[in-house]
Amino acid sequence: MKTETLGESRYSGEVKRGQAILVAYLIATLELTFLFMQMGVMPYLAKSLGLDSVGFGYLQTTFGVLQLVGGPIFGRFADQFGTRAALILSCVSGSAFFLLMSISTSIPLLFLSRLPGVFMHGLPGAQKVITDLTAPSQRADALGKLGLCFGIGIIIGSALGGVLSTKFGLPSEPCTWPHHQARGGLRISCFLPLTCINRVLISMSSSVGTSQSGSVFSIREILRLMKFPGVMEVFMVKVFAGLPIGLFLVMFSIISMEFFGLEAVESGYLMSYFGVLQMVIQGLVVGKLTKHCTERTLLRLSVFVFAGVGLGMALMRTVWHYCIIAVPLMFAFSTLGTITDSILTKAVPSSDTGTMLGICASVQPLTRTVGPTIGGVLYKQFGVSSFGYLQLIVNIGLFVYLLKSKIPLREMKN
């Protein structure tokens, strides 16, 4: 009888963990969908309010800085108060973000609407749920499936932004169509996840915060994680391997118009293509590879493929070349992000995984912050090929470093 009771209890625990992980995927999908939706319509709203290209750059930089600062703080909050509280904070912040955008009838209000973005970190929150509820050997596979959420967010979010802006108002009527967009975001991104959290995530006893040393805003506690063996080395690889392509993607809206000669509709199709690629590669391919290769091998492979992508970008001349290059590019990008997140969360104590994920989540905001300045100089002075050559040189250096260095990693297969 004891054996049967233990078996039933174990089965019930597995079901609850599976439900909690599904809820995490749902929350990540919703937040990414609404994020890409507002990214698609924000340039039109800014233009209708009289914001020029320089001012719009400041607006994007403001959002990037807020996300950069908020990532580690959000992670510390998750470690100290639990994943459930952190996800609620992210959902509430997202609701405030859309609400303020819906009433942005002036440029100061538009800048103010970016402020809640400091705690909009549904994706790191979902990663925290996954790292808490999966075994270390299964972590890379589970984190890789978040790529499906990302791809769905790109495809549906971009389409919804265009539909809402067309159906509910013109760009010259700033108080109309953002209201409908924000109202939908408020209803779905807040109430649905909160209901799921209350019913499912309350059973996540393993996600209750245990890191109580220091304040949530303690920089010393955040930087302390970099002193663990292998953390600084892997994090630097994560930052620099994807930096050149990150600069290219920041400038892609301009490159697509001037270098490739694409119209807005064609750029939308290209983004959908990227979304499908990410869904397939990160959601399916990366998970399969983790079953047969160690994380050290996959890390080296992603950097090596990134170097090859750099050579291809240096030689590309048409958008069709870029569509071909996008396949290995998305593979390297997805593999590097998934594997480094998995390695870094294993390298720190379980009570600090939220902070570590918050630090990892700050990499992309850092690129968005410095990208317009550095990318603009590279593009104007040296052309599109400069991004490829920089990608090639940086990743060849990192690949040689990974071959010769002995970074302490917990080697394990799925």
Side-chain angles (χ1 to χ4, degrees):
M1 291 178 64
K2 284 185 178 180
T3 303
E4 291 179 359
T5 303
L6 288 173
E8 291 176 359
S9 177
R10 189 178 296 111
Y11 175 75
S12 177
E14 290 292 337
V15 171
K16 288 181 179 180
R17 281 194 290 272
Q19 290 175 339
I21 291 174
L22 287 176
V23 171
Y25 287 140
L26 174 62
I27 293 174
T29 302
L30 290 174
E31 178 167 306
L32 289 167
T33 298
F34 292 122
L35 183 63
F36 280 105
M37 182 169 65
Q38 68 87 27
M39 285 175 61
V41 299
M42 184 53 63
Y44 299 99
L45 175 59
K47 184 177 180 180
S48 67
L49 293 176
L51 199 64
D52 59 11
S53 58
V54 176
F56 183 70
Y58 290 147
L59 182 69
Q60 296 293 83
T61 301
T62 300
F63 185 67
V65 170
L66 288 171
Q67 290 257 294
L68 175 63
V69 173
I73 296 175
F74 179 85
R76 286 279 297 165
F77 182 89
D79 286 333
Q80 292 201 358
F81 299 98
T83 309
R84 181 170 173 265
L87 286 172
I88 292 174
L89 175 63
S90 178
C91 291
V92 172
S93 300
S95 299
F97 178 87
F98 282 101
L99 178 61
L100 288 173
M101 196 181 77
S102 70
I103 59 174
S104 295
T105 56
S106 64
I107 293 177
L109 278 176
L110 188 61
F111 274 87
L112 183 63
S113 70
R114 307 291 95 182
L115 190 59
V118 70
F119 293 122
M120 277 180 59
H121 293 281
L123 185 59
Q127 290 176 323
K128 170 69 172 165
V129 174
I130 292 170
T131 55
D132 285 341
L133 299 182
T134 56
S137 60
Q138 299 174 338
R139 187 169 299 172
D141 185 20
L143 289 173
K145 288 184 172 60
L146 282 170
L148 292 171
C149 306
F150 205 92
I152 293 172
I154 292 177
I155 297 171
I156 299 180
S158 301
L160 273 178
V163 170
L164 289 174
S165 62
T166 303
K167 187 174 182 180
F168 295 111
L170 299 173
S172 59
E173 301 169 350
C175 62
T176 302
W177 50 269
H179 169 72
H180 294 279
Q181 181 190 17
R183 186 170 62 184
L186 280 166
R187 288 179 177 177
I188 301 177
S189 70
C190 186
F191 292 111
L192 178 58
L194 281 177
T195 303
C196 295
I197 289 171
N198 286 330
R199 290 181 179 179
V200 178
L201 297 187
I202 195 151
S203 63
M204 290 170 51
S205 57
S206 61
S207 296
V208 177
T210 58
S211 179
Q212 298 297 336
S213 60
S215 168
V216 172
F217 302 96
S218 174
I219 299 178
R220 179 181 296 178
E221 287 297 319
I222 294 172
L223 296 179
R224 173 181 60 86
L225 301 184
M226 291 297 170
K227 298 179 181 179
F228 284 94
V231 171
M232 178 62 77
E233 293 89 340
V234 175
F235 184 73
M236 287 296 100
V237 172
K238 180 182 182 69
V239 172
F240 288 106
L243 181 60
I245 191 61
L247 299 177
F248 174 82
L249 294 176
V250 168
M251 300 297 299
F252 184 73
S253 58
I254 296 176
I255 293 173
S256 64
M257 289 186 296
E258 298 181 357
F259 185 77
F260 292 132
L262 300 180
E263 300 293 336
V265 176
E266 295 169 332
S267 296
Y269 292 151
L270 196 59
M271 290 299 293
S272 299
Y273 171 65
F274 294 156
V276 172
L277 280 180
Q278 179 144 5
M279 287 174 61
V280 173
I281 293 174
Q282 189 169 342
L284 302 176
V285 177
V286 175
K288 298 291 185 182
L289 288 177
T290 58
K291 297 179 180 180
H292 305 286
C293 304
T294 63
E295 291 177 338
R296 186 188 298 271
T297 301
L298 291 177
L299 180 61
R300 290 172 176 171
L301 177 63
S302 63
V303 172
F304 180 76
V305 174
F306 254 144
V309 168
L311 179 61
M313 290 178 60
L315 300 176
M316 73 177 179
R317 294 294 179 267
T318 67
V319 68
W320 297 109
H321 294 163
Y322 184 56
C323 288
I324 296 173
I325 296 171
V327 178
L329 167 62
M330 200 59 66
F331 170 80
F333 197 84
S334 301
T335 305
L336 179 73
T338 302
I339 296 303
T340 51
D341 286 350
S342 177
I343 292 173
L344 291 171
T345 53
K346 294 175 187 176
V348 300
S350 59
S351 59
D352 292 315
T353 54
T355 307
M356 192 70 252
L357 288 169
I359 295 173
C360 293
S362 299
V363 174
Q364 289 189 2
L366 174 64
T367 305
R368 290 200 300 266
T369 302
V370 303
T373 302
I374 301 176
V377 171
L378 285 174
Y379 178 60
K380 290 182 179 180
Q381 297 294 329
F382 306 104
V384 175
S385 60
S386 62
F387 296 100
Y389 287 121
L390 181 62
Q391 179 82 9
L392 175 63
I393 295 171
V394 169
N395 281 275
I396 285 179
L398 289 175
F399 183 70
V400 173
Y401 168 74
L402 289 174
L403 287 177
K404 292 186 175 182
S405 66
K406 296 181 180 180
I407 301 175
L409 302 180
R410 293 176 58 184
E411 295 285 351
M412 57 180 61
K413 301 178 183 179
N414 185 350

